[in-house]
Amino acid sequence: MATKNVAEYCNNVASLDQKLAIARRCSHEGVMAGAKAAVVATIATAIPTLASARMLPWARANLNPAAQALIISTAAGMAYFIVADKTILATARKNSFSGGDKQH
């Protein structure tokens, strides 16, 4: 009877380790996708923000460097968290349907 319980425990631990590895991979994919989106959002936001702060009279008068940095970093942060969250959820959903045993 004791060997059966030990075998079940070992199987549960192995299953838990496998689930943990899948969760780590899923999180890593989300972080990488979020970082890429943040870089793109930074570039896409920085160019018009900095250009308008130099060419438009209203922006030149009202957007100091701190305001420009706030606009750019807010866009980058939002892009990071939105894309990372969507990627993690999509990967988790895919793993839950496939049983988690499919590797990329």
Side-chain angles (χ1 to χ4, degrees), residues 50-73:
L50 296 175
S52 65
R54 278 148 186 73
M55 290 189 275
L56 299 175
W58 179 89
R60 188 178 311 129
N62 294 308
L63 294 180
N64 61 11
Q68 295 170 30
L70 183 63
I71 292 168
I72 296 166
S73 63

Side-chain angles (χ1 to χ4, degrees), residues 1-17 19:
M1 196 69 149
T3 57
K4 183 179 178 185
N5 290 340
V6 170
E8 287 178 9
Y9 174 77
C10 289
N11 286 338
N12 287 340
V13 169
S15 175
L16 186 61
D17 287 343
K19 288 178 182 177

Side-chain angles (χ1 to χ4, degrees), residues 7-47:
E8 287 178 9
Y9 174 77
C10 289
N11 286 338
N12 287 340
V13 169
S15 175
L16 186 61
D17 287 343
Q18 184 180 19
K19 288 178 182 177
L20 185 60
I22 291 169
R24 283 186 181 144
R25 190 185 80 238
C26 179
S27 296
H28 180 71
E29 288 179 20
V31 167
M32 294 307 291
K36 289 176 186 177
V39 168
V40 171
T42 299
I43 293 168
T45 308
I47 293 170

